[in-house]
Amino acid sequence: MVKVRDDQPLREDGSIDLPKWLEELKALARHENFDDDLIISACEFSRKAEEKSRDSKNVWSLRTSSFLTGLEMARILTELNLDQESIVAAILYRSVREGKSRIEQVEKKFGPDVTKLIDGVLKMAAISELKNSVMEGSVLGQNDNQLENLRKMLVAMVDDVRVALIKIAERTCAIREVKESDASRKLKVAREVFDIYAPLAHRLGIGQLKWELEDLSFRYLEPDAYKRIAKLLDERRLDRQEYIDKVLQQLNEQIAQARIQAETFGRAKHIFSIWRKMKKKGIDFSEVYDVRAVRVLTHSIQDCYMVMGIVHGQWQPIPGEFDDYIATPKENGYRSLHTAVLGPGGKALEIQIRTHEMHEEAEMGICAHWRYKEGAKGEARGGYEDKIAWLRQVIEWQEELGEDVLGTIADQFSHAIIDERIYVFTPEGHVVDLPVGATPVDFAYHVHTEVGHSCRGAKVNGKIVPLVYKLKTGEQVEIIRGNQSRPSRDWLNPELGFINTARARAKAKHWFKLLDRDENIMDGKHILKREFHRLAIGHVDLDQVAPKLNLRTGEDVYAAVGAGDLRLSQVLNALPDRLGIAEHKPHHPHQLEFNTLPYPNAGPSSINVQGVDNILTQIAGCCKPVPGDDVLGYITLGRGVSIHRQDCKHLLDLIERDSNRIVEINWNPSDEKSYPVDILVRAYDRQGLLRDITEFLVNEKINLSAVNSRFDSKNNISDITLSMRVNSLDKLSRVLSKLSQMANVFEVQRFQS
């Protein structure tokens, strides 16, 4: 026997009469495109799945029956004017969530669109369950910033507003039926609804559910306050109704005299709203003026303002209590005129005036703007189009300032959702808010500075990941810490991708700044020596480079690099401007003493020969220099000037044979051309190694002209030589850095023939 709602249509055997139920559902709908067979099929699918999972003799309640909950959710969403796909997804959702049917079965029978909606609601449910464990023990008005992060996480994970509406409907069913549960479940459901789903309904402008969710959850979170206000409202109900009837009579007479068509009625007051105003203003129940409230619906905005004039002419307005939300709508699109006056007998009275269209928007929010096409998804009109497209653009979790209550949960709705954020969990279930692109190192420094300093590895969802792994919303991150609290200097190299947040970078740099200058100089020398070797850069006179970096000496350059104040890319970009000094020239028996000339102001040529451009030049194939390398030119017979690196062994032979044909060369700073360069990649062989390397170069927009690979079967090592074209030494450095991070790669450097 199934225990169902009293108003559900039943057959003689007590089961639900689905055809009759569908007729009632269609009567609530505002469109005619329901596929009767599809809706009934979804109901039968859910019912059969439930019958297989339990003894048919059991008594089912709405709380324990996925089938009945689905029917109730469908009714709520139909009242909200949602489309057929949403209705079908609602009917099937609880069956899938409770494991009575599989998502694969749903997709096969009802298609990918319905399945995607169900999958989105399942993700929201998973976050809500984690939220309950995090916030266990919190009470109304005492939750911390974790709630804000959890709300943001929900928004970041959802990309279809219908997903949120289905979840709100499901939680509405839960809070309605929780009265039959034990005390712990009442608190658990009520806290979740109050913290997450009542604000979500508010932000979507769905007033008819927002008030219900707030009042029902408030009933279980603050039972004493709820009962006290409910009792006071009930005791004065008759007196209040008589007073409202008197007000409506007087107001209707004035409106009729003005020949305005309008509908007037008393407005139900919500218990949580009364309690909130009492707490905010520190007043007693008898001083809450909008316990007595009237609403007026007109046919035009002009009539709204005319009725407002009638009200203010009839009764004295209370100063500071007039709000024009028609001229300035609320963040969720709410429009209405609000005023408070001293009504008959000098009693405070609240009056709201709006058009019928505004009233529908206030009750149904974003759902009031849903349109339907034959067999298609709903669309929005007007300013709601973008909001429906992406939920995280709709929900900014901002309460109106005039109704915030210090000490309640509404205080925590002040931060807007930032689209480019991710939300990940700590092992304890707390939520951490990070920018998109954040890595485990960024996460570690966000948790605590010492956790960041000692970070040596990370697990994401229980699996080891590289420290350059880009975290995604909803993942759980665990940091593996070492014994020493010392960050790696590689973390400060932006090309390596270990750190992508300013906060983490600043903390790591600060650690190195605290080191002695001598240690920073030593570390800086090591970093630059390693990089210069990898780029096959020979002698560098940092004393001459330092002024270009606003430093005095080469030691200052080393110290700045070691402390993290100077990036490798800055040093590399300064190299083309350096001066060659005789006493610091390369140690070779055949060396030239020369002085470079300044760059020309501009010129189409990429190479400047002794201050003159537009001379025929060619890049030497033996050493393949790129901008930033120390270079010299050799005047050939009929082929212009051949450009060599200064440490090229072929150039040194040419110098020995005919030094008179050697000319000074500068790179033109406006160069936008690319230059050939060879690099060597050494790696332990694995499947897909060469594919990964070439795909990376394609993504980096590097032109690859040749690839040669040699495999050492004895040591399982592949030596891969890549011929490519780059436009600068800095670009080459970035490419080498990223290649060195690939799996199994243990050495990457510029290759010299």
Side-chain angles (χ1 to χ4, degrees):
M1 182 66 182
V2 181
K3 181 181 178 182
V4 299
R5 285 178 20 153
D6 294 338
D7 58 351
Q8 293 281 23
L10 302 178
R11 294 192 178 99
E12 292 182 359
D13 61 358
S15 63
I16 294 179
D17 187 338
L18 287 178
K20 189 172 182 181
W21 170 84
L22 179 58
E23 289 302 316
E24 293 181 357
L25 194 73
K26 291 168 66 177
L28 295 172
R30 307 183 186 194
H31 48 88
E32 303 296 332
N33 64 340
F34 268 173
D35 182 337
D36 293 10
D37 293 338
L38 181 64
I39 300 292
I40 293 296
S41 177
C43 293
E44 293 290 357
F45 183 92
S46 177
R47 178 159 63 184
K48 290 178 181 178
E50 182 156 60
E51 289 174 349
K52 290 180 181 179
S53 66
R54 65 169 72 230
D55 185 344
S56 61
K57 295 181 180 179
N58 289 346
V59 176
W60 301 352
S61 69
L62 181 59
R63 184 174 68 84
T64 60
S65 170
S66 57
F67 168 60
L68 296 180
T69 300
L71 298 186
E72 186 70 10
M73 289 170 62
R75 183 183 183 90
I76 293 171
L77 294 177
T78 301
E79 291 174 345
L80 293 178
N81 201 26
L82 251 67
D83 61 359
Q84 181 172 274
E85 288 177 349
S86 302
I87 303 301
V88 172
I91 293 170
L92 300 172
Y93 165 67
R94 285 293 289 269
S95 176
V96 175
R97 179 183 173 183
E98 295 173 12
K100 297 170 184 175
S101 56
R102 299 197 311 274
I103 194 75
E104 296 82 7
Q105 295 173 314
V106 171
E107 183 168 14
K108 183 177 180 180
K109 188 171 182 63
F110 298 99
D113 293 334
V114 169
T115 305
K116 185 178 179 181
L117 290 174
I118 294 174
D119 187 58
V121 186
L122 289 171
K123 289 179 180 178
M124 293 187 75
I127 298 301
S128 296
E129 289 173 1
L130 283 168
K131 174 259 175 198
N132 287 326
S133 64
V134 174
M135 304 310 299
E136 196 68 39
S138 61
V139 296
L140 184 64
Q142 295 181 357
N143 294 334
D144 59 17
N145 289 335
Q146 283 297 299
L147 284 176
E148 182 68 14
N149 284 338
L150 283 158
R151 296 186 195 106
K152 292 177 181 179
M153 176 179 282
L154 284 174
V155 172
M157 294 184 71
V158 176
D159 61 3
D160 190 327
V161 71
R162 294 175 298 171
V163 170
L165 295 170
I166 294 170
K167 185 59 184 176
I168 290 174
E170 191 267 340
R171 289 293 86 188
T172 301
C173 292
I175 197 69
R176 285 175 179 175
E177 294 300 316
V178 79
K179 61 184 178 181
E180 301 177 359
S181 305
D182 55 45
S184 63
R185 176 168 174 78
K186 287 178 182 177
L187 288 175
K188 179 180 179 180
V189 174
R191 185 176 294 116
E192 178 190 32
V193 167
F194 190 85
D195 291 342
I196 301 293
Y197 295 105
L200 179 53
H202 168 76
R203 195 61 192 88
L204 293 175
I206 309 172
Q208 69 183 57
L209 290 183
K210 178 228 181 187
W211 292 115
E212 180 180 1
L213 294 175
E214 282 186 342
D215 276 2
L216 290 179
S217 53
F218 180 63
R219 174 181 180 179
Y220 301 116
L221 294 174
E222 296 285 348
D224 293 339
Y226 179 92
K227 291 176 182 177
R228 181 167 60 88
I229 296 174
K231 183 179 180 181
L232 290 170
L233 285 172
D234 187 61
E235 288 175 350
R236 305 182 184 184
R237 180 172 54 84
L238 293 177
D239 291 340
R240 188 169 61 254
Q241 189 59 51
E242 290 179 2
Y243 184 84
I244 292 298
D245 290 343
K246 182 178 180 180
V247 168
L248 293 177
Q249 181 181 355
Q250 295 182 22
L251 187 57
N252 284 330
E253 290 174 357
Q254 295 291 325
I255 291 175
Q257 290 179 11
R259 296 184 179 180
I260 297 173
Q261 291 186 345
E263 180 182 351
T264 62
F265 50 89
R267 183 170 67 87
K269 279 309 297 177
H270 302 281
I271 294 175
F272 173 71
S273 175
I274 294 172
W275 176 83
R276 184 169 59 179
K277 291 195 174 182
M278 290 170 60
K279 295 285 286 185
K280 177 183 178 181
K281 299 184 177 182
I283 58 178
D284 188 66
F285 176 82
S286 60
E287 301 175 83
V288 180
Y289 59 82
D290 59 350
V291 168
R292 295 171 290 273
V294 168
R295 181 172 289 144
V296 182
L297 303 183
T298 71
H299 292 283
S300 69
I301 294 177
Q302 181 180 359
D303 288 346
C304 288
Y305 287 101
M306 291 182 67
V307 171
M308 179 63 68
I310 292 173
V311 169
H312 285 173
Q314 179 79 9
W315 300 294
Q316 179 182 347
I318 298 176
E321 295 296 338
F322 171 67
D323 293 297
D324 187 347
Y325 295 120
I326 294 179
T328 309
K330 293 185 180 181
E331 289 290 330
N332 61 1
Y334 175 86
R335 295 181 297 163
S336 183
L337 296 176
H338 290 194
T339 189
V341 298
L342 294 177
K347 295 181 180 180
L349 171 70
E350 183 193 61
I351 298 178
Q352 296 181 353
I353 306 167
R354 62 181 70 148
T355 66
H356 289 277
E357 181 183 4
M358 293 175 191
H359 181 64
E360 183 180 35
E361 291 175 2
E363 293 298 296
M364 298 181 61
I366 203 168
C367 306
H369 295 260
W370 216 264
R371 289 203 314 259
Y372 292 87
K373 295 181 180 179
E374 188 67 30
K377 297 177 183 178
E379 294 180 350
R381 72 169 185 261
Y384 283 80
E385 194 168 71
D386 293 336
K387 294 182 177 182
I388 289 180
W390 296 98
L391 176 61
R392 53 180 175 266
Q393 294 177 3
V394 183
I395 308 168
E396 297 177 355
W397 299 107
Q398 292 178 330
E399 285 279 6
E400 59 273 21
L401 294 177
E403 293 186 14
D404 274 354
V405 183
L406 187 60
T408 70
I409 200 65
D411 291 318
Q412 301 183 30
F413 294 178
S414 59
H415 299 292
I417 291 298
I418 302 174
D419 192 36
E420 295 301 315
R421 306 294 291 181
I422 60 169
Y423 307 92
V424 295
F425 287 105
T426 67
E428 294 76 26
H430 294 284
V431 177
V432 174
D433 173 359
L434 295 167
V436 167
T439 66
V441 180
D442 294 310
F443 172 88
Y445 275 111
H446 188 97
V447 172
H448 195 277
T449 301
E450 287 303 314
V451 175
H453 289 342
S454 60
C455 175
R456 295 297 177 267
K459 291 182 179 180
V460 171
N461 295 336
K463 297 181 179 179
I464 297 288
V465 297
L467 289 180
V468 294
Y469 175 82
K470 300 297 188 293
L471 300 174
K472 302 178 183 64
T473 290
E475 293 179 330
Q476 188 174 58
V477 186
E478 178 184 354
I479 297 300
I480 301 172
R481 302 179 63 181
N483 295 328
Q484 289 187 328
S485 180
R486 180 187 179 94
S488 169
R489 290 189 182 275
D490 287 340
W491 296 355
L492 297 180
N493 185 349
E495 309 306 333
L496 297 179
F498 286 101
I499 290 179
N500 290 319
T501 63
R503 176 179 180 177
R505 187 175 302 279
K507 288 184 175 182
K509 286 177 64 175
H510 181 71
W511 189 93
F512 289 110
K513 283 183 179 180
L514 297 179
L515 296 178
D516 291 337
R517 176 178 169 84
D518 290 343
E519 188 172 352
N520 279 328
I521 291 174
M522 182 174 62
D523 288 342
K525 283 182 178 179
H526 173 72
I527 293 170
L528 288 175
K529 181 180 179 181
R530 181 181 62 184
E531 186 68 9
F532 290 164
H533 172 73
R534 188 171 68 171
L535 293 171
I537 297 175
H539 170 74
V540 176
D541 187 350
L542 287 181
D543 285 333
Q544 301 302 318
V545 175
K548 303 294 182 181
L549 300 169
N550 295 319
L551 298 171
R552 291 186 302 170
T553 67
E555 280 199 347
D556 292 337
V557 175
Y558 289 136
V561 171
D565 293 330
L566 196 62
R567 299 191 303 273
L568 279 174
S569 60
Q570 293 173 286
V571 177
L572 295 175
N573 288 331
L575 294 185
D577 294 338
R578 67 187 186 279
L579 300 176
I581 303 299
E583 58 268 26
H584 293 292
K585 58 186 176 291
H587 298 288
H588 191 277
H590 305 286
Q591 53 188 244
L592 292 178
E593 185 172 335
F594 63 94
N595 291 310
T596 59
L597 297 175
Y599 284 111
N601 291 331
S605 176
S606 62
I607 295 172
N608 176 235
V609 181
Q610 290 189 339
V612 181
D613 50 20
N614 287 326
I615 292 180
L616 178 63
T617 60
Q618 60 177 334
I619 299 298
C622 51
C623 57
K624 296 180 180 178
V626 297
D629 285 333
D630 281 328
V631 290
L632 289 174
Y634 177 75
I635 301 175
T636 66
L637 296 177
R639 293 182 292 112
V641 178
S642 176
I643 311 301
H644 295 259
R645 287 172 48 193
Q646 288 187 18
D647 59 355
C648 173
K649 62 182 180 180
H650 297 292
L651 175 67
L652 297 176
D653 291 338
L654 293 171
I655 292 171
E656 186 173 1
R657 291 203 307 265
D658 192 355
S659 62
N660 291 329
R661 297 169 71 175
I662 302 299
V663 294
E664 176 193 340
I665 295 295
N666 279 329
W667 297 103
N668 192 322
S670 62
D671 175 36
E672 295 181 356
K673 296 183 178 179
S674 61
Y675 299 86
V677 64
D678 294 335
I679 64 172
L680 173 65
V681 178
R682 305 197 72 201
Y684 297 109
D685 194 52
R686 63 173 173 83
Q687 186 176 4
L689 173 63
L690 188 58
R691 178 202 61 206
D692 292 346
I693 292 174
T694 54
E695 283 184 356
F696 162 73
L697 294 175
V698 170
N699 292 335
E700 288 291 315
K701 299 181 179 179
I702 299 292
N703 290 327
L704 188 62
S705 56
V707 178
N708 291 300
S709 179
R710 187 179 63 186
F711 177 60
D712 180 356
S713 58
K714 182 178 179 181
N715 298 308
N716 193 40
I717 292 176
S718 287
D719 288 349
I720 302 173
T721 305
L722 304 165
S723 297
M724 62 183 70
R725 300 184 70 88
V726 296
N727 57 14
S728 71
L729 205 59
D730 182 34
K731 178 66 173 180
L732 178 59
S733 175
R734 292 198 298 272
V735 170
L736 297 184
S737 295
K738 292 180 179 180
L739 285 173
S740 67
Q741 291 181 294
M742 287 190 172
N744 287 28
V745 173
F746 62 86
E747 182 181 350
V748 181
Q749 65 179 20
R750 190 172 176 182
F751 178 71
Q752 301 183 71
S753 57

